[in-house]
Amino acid sequence: MSESAQSIQVEPIALKDVAEALLHTHIFSGTPVASIVGVEKTERVTAKAGTMLVEPGGPWLYYWVVLEGEARAERPEPDGTWTLGGIARAGEGFGEAPFLMGRATSMFRITTSQDSVFLRFTEQGFWSLLTCCPSVRKIVLADSAQRIQSYQVEALHREKLISLGTLAAGLMHELHNPGSAAKRAASQLRENLLRLQQLSLRSAEKPKTPEQVRCMKDMLEHALRGCNAPAMGTLEQADAEEAMSVWLANAKVENAYTIGPVLVSMGFNPEEIACSQEFFDPASFSDALNWFGALVSSVSLVCAIEESIGRISDLVMAVKKFAYDERTPSKELDIHDSLQSTLTILGHKMRLKQIQVEKKFDASPSTICTRGYALSQVWTNLIDNAIDASPENSKIEVATSSNPEWLTVSITDHGVGIPADILPRIFEAFFTTKPQGIGTGLGLEIVHRIVTQKFGGTIDVQSHPGETRFTVHLPINAPSAKKTDAGPKS
């Protein structure tokens, strides 16, 4: 019979009729057909090059043995590309993993890369082979273990690249703002320096009295302390700027409404500069205040540049902690620092949805002694998922607590929740509720593996409409790479 416009031909065949061909395969080389019980018939499939045997997301019904040619397994990616999962050549078998893992659908596209001939066994026939034939069972399980191990290594590497992409996107957004602010401040500072030079040359033509020098010195000392002026509310600051500008205008100071806000931003009030009016004539007073305003503005711009560079340094430190916080063989790891670094890097994504973060860092101590690694990847996956699940203008809570043995981290969002029927499966490999090609179904599985196998901890989830909470329990002192089923005592 034909399955696809003569590109694939399927015919039932007795197992004894392909006994010679089976003995030349890796799977059945040590298993005479006469010893196979429960499988009398199979199907021989002849397919031309380029034939699709299985579609991604389609039902998985057979275990395949390649007699001639080869088959390629490819996985769809979110960007529309395909990643090669493996190649089965003549004499090899494939398709055992879905049966062994209890999956009913395929994660891969299976196609022939050349004209090929296969034998395919139904699920019942597959289990009969494993039951009756120890040598077949040994080879199939060994092949499956090797494929799963190779795929897990590739999947973990891919998830790390996804985390790196999230990190890079965060840095692109986070570095842009302080970098732009520093550039604008430097440009304005250059203009201020030119104005200061002009005003200084004009002022130098007029000798200063001791009182004038003392007054200017006092104001300069105040200005040079000015990066930490007390913060004011919006209305309070507007009133202060208006009062300062009006006072300067009444004193006949040129550019009064430009100088006023600058002086207020550095913590000045009219009483503090009144001495200068007493000791300067009106023309000199205006020049002195404009010179002083330019100087104060320059100090303010230097403060802005310093703050921007500090912000960039904080981001670099966050990335350093994110990337290298677990590279040493054994060390104390501060969970609060690790969480804050991840929140910093994902800050742009939260701002896009106007999501607020409520931090309740109550763990004391907040450090764990570990040889584990990749904890930042755990926070990135969980917080990133919480952001995706959260509606706009909502809130995410990140909380920590501890006792002498365990340190607990919980991440809570207020989205639609996880349906009860799929909640038990969210940590399974390849399980995802996202559309085909969008989610890999590996993020939470890798999170679970890191927490349990690398840190010896546990992770659980509670969810209902309006709230989902992931809770991670980490032993404060525990050997890494040791899986534990224990958890904190409630």
Side-chain angles (χ1 to χ4, degrees):
M1 78 181 179
S2 173
E3 287 196 348
S4 177
Q6 298 184 347
S7 64
I8 180 170
Q9 301 290 329
V10 180
E11 57 176 325
I13 190 168
L15 200 62
K16 64 180 181 179
D17 293 339
V18 288
E20 184 68 22
L22 285 175
L23 288 175
H24 288 86
T25 66
H26 172 62
I27 308 296
F28 294 94
S29 59
T31 305
V33 169
S35 66
I36 299 177
V37 179
V39 184
E40 297 179 354
K41 292 185 177 182
T42 184
E43 292 179 332
R44 180 163 55 192
V45 179
T46 304
K48 297 180 181 296
T51 300
M52 184 181 298
L53 303 176
V54 182
E55 295 182 3
W60 190 266
L61 304 174
Y62 303 102
Y63 175 70
W64 302 72
V65 176
V66 186
L67 298 181
E68 301 175 16
E70 66 178 30
R72 296 167 60 90
E74 298 171 301
R75 183 183 66 247
E77 302 299 348
D79 60 3
T81 61
W82 295 83
T83 297
L84 180 64
I87 298 176
R89 297 180 174 86
E92 299 177 345
F94 64 92
E96 73 287 342
F99 294 146
L100 295 174
M101 297 174 64
R103 294 187 59 86
T105 58
S106 174
M107 293 290 296
F108 296 91
R109 174 180 70 182
I110 312 294
T111 57
T112 56
S113 52
Q114 53 187 267
D115 292 350
S116 304
V117 179
F118 307 90
L119 291 181
R120 69 184 189 186
F121 297 84
T122 63
E123 183 176 3
Q124 181 180 352
F126 171 77
W127 290 117
S128 296
L129 288 174
L130 264 60
T131 301
C132 74
C133 307
S135 60
V136 171
R137 181 169 63 246
K138 181 179 179 180
I139 292 172
V140 168
L141 294 179
D143 287 349
S144 179
Q146 182 179 11
R147 287 192 182 113
I148 290 175
Q149 183 179 22
S150 299
Y151 189 75
Q152 284 180 334
V153 170
E154 189 272 336
L156 181 60
H157 177 67
R158 183 171 185 82
E159 285 296 315
K160 287 182 177 179
L161 291 178
I162 291 173
S163 292
L164 183 61
T166 301
L167 171 67
L171 282 177
M172 179 180 68
H173 286 80
E174 293 296 332
L175 290 174
H176 175 75
N177 288 337
S180 297
K183 182 178 180 180
R184 287 193 302 269
S187 177
Q188 293 171 13
L189 182 60
R190 181 174 60 249
E191 296 176 5
N192 276 8
L193 291 175
L194 292 174
R195 179 165 175 75
L196 274 171
Q197 183 183 25
Q198 295 170 354
L199 290 169
S200 296
L201 291 173
R202 189 190 304 175
S203 176
E205 297 175 354
K206 300 177 181 179
K208 301 295 183 293
T209 66
E211 290 81 5
Q212 291 173 334
V213 172
R214 184 170 61 252
C215 178
M216 296 301 293
K217 180 181 177 183
D218 291 341
M219 290 194 297
L220 282 173
E221 288 179 351
H222 182 158
L224 296 176
R225 299 193 303 264
C227 284
N228 298 309
M232 293 186 289
T234 303
L235 292 177
E236 182 185 3
Q237 182 167 345
D239 289 343
E241 290 176 356
E242 177 68 18
M244 175 67 80
S245 299
V246 169
W247 187 91
L248 292 172
N250 291 336
K252 309 300 182 183
V253 175
E254 185 182 358
N255 302 316
Y257 285 89
T258 300
I259 299 172
V262 173
L263 296 178
V264 169
S265 70
M266 300 299 282
F268 283 94
N269 57 58
E271 290 75 17
E272 290 180 277
I273 60 174
C275 69
S276 57
Q277 187 179 27
E278 178 182 351
F279 299 121
F280 287 88
D281 61 78
S284 298
F285 179 62
S286 179
D287 284 347
L289 263 293
N290 273 273
W291 177 86
F292 185 65
L295 177 64
V296 169
S297 175
S298 298
V299 173
S300 177
L301 292 170
V302 170
C303 292
I305 293 172
E306 184 179 16
E307 182 179 353
S308 297
I309 294 174
R311 173 64 176 159
I312 292 171
S313 297
D314 289 344
L315 286 167
V316 171
M317 185 59 67
V319 174
K320 187 175 181 180
K321 289 179 180 178
F322 182 96
Y324 299 105
D325 61 357
E326 296 110 352
R327 290 293 180 88
T328 56
S330 179
K331 63 175 290 185
E332 284 193 344
L333 179 66
D334 192 308
I335 296 298
H336 292 166
D337 283 350
S338 181
L339 285 166
Q340 185 58 55
S341 296
T342 303
L343 289 170
T344 298
I345 291 166
L346 292 176
H348 73 286
K349 193 169 182 179
M350 287 182 277
R351 286 193 294 274
L352 287 175
K353 297 181 73 172
Q354 297 182 329
I355 295 172
Q356 300 296 317
V357 178
E358 181 178 343
K359 295 181 289 184
K360 298 179 180 178
F361 287 174
D362 297 328
S364 181
S366 61
T367 59
I368 61 173
C369 184
T370 180
R371 292 176 182 270
Y373 65 93
L375 194 57
S376 293
Q377 191 173 351
V378 171
W379 311 140
T380 300
N381 272 287
L382 294 180
I383 295 174
D384 197 38
N385 284 349
I387 295 170
D388 288 340
S390 296
E392 292 187 359
N393 299 300
S394 61
K395 181 173 64 175
I396 291 173
E397 290 104 34
V398 181
T400 67
S401 61
S402 63
N403 60 39
E405 296 182 358
W406 294 89
L407 194 152
T408 300
V409 177
S410 66
I411 297 168
T412 306
D413 69 72
H414 299 281
V416 296
I418 303 171
D421 59 330
I422 69 172
L423 193 61
R425 301 189 60 194
I426 60 171
F427 295 119
E428 290 182 13
F430 311 116
F431 180 80
T432 179
T433 58
K434 296 179 181 179
Q436 180 74 30
I438 299 298
T440 64
L442 292 169
L444 287 178
E445 189 274 336
I446 289 174
V447 164
H448 185 272
R449 182 144 39 97
I450 291 171
V451 170
T452 58
Q453 297 182 16
K454 302 302 180 183
F455 285 83
T458 64
I459 179 171
D460 56 70
V461 57
Q462 299 86 36
S463 183
H464 58 79
E467 181 177 291
T468 297
R469 176 178 291 115
F470 283 85
T471 305
V472 176
H473 304 287
L474 301 170
I476 290 178
N477 292 288
S480 66
K482 180 180 179 181
K483 189 172 181 178
T484 176
D485 294 326
K489 304 299 182 184
S490 58

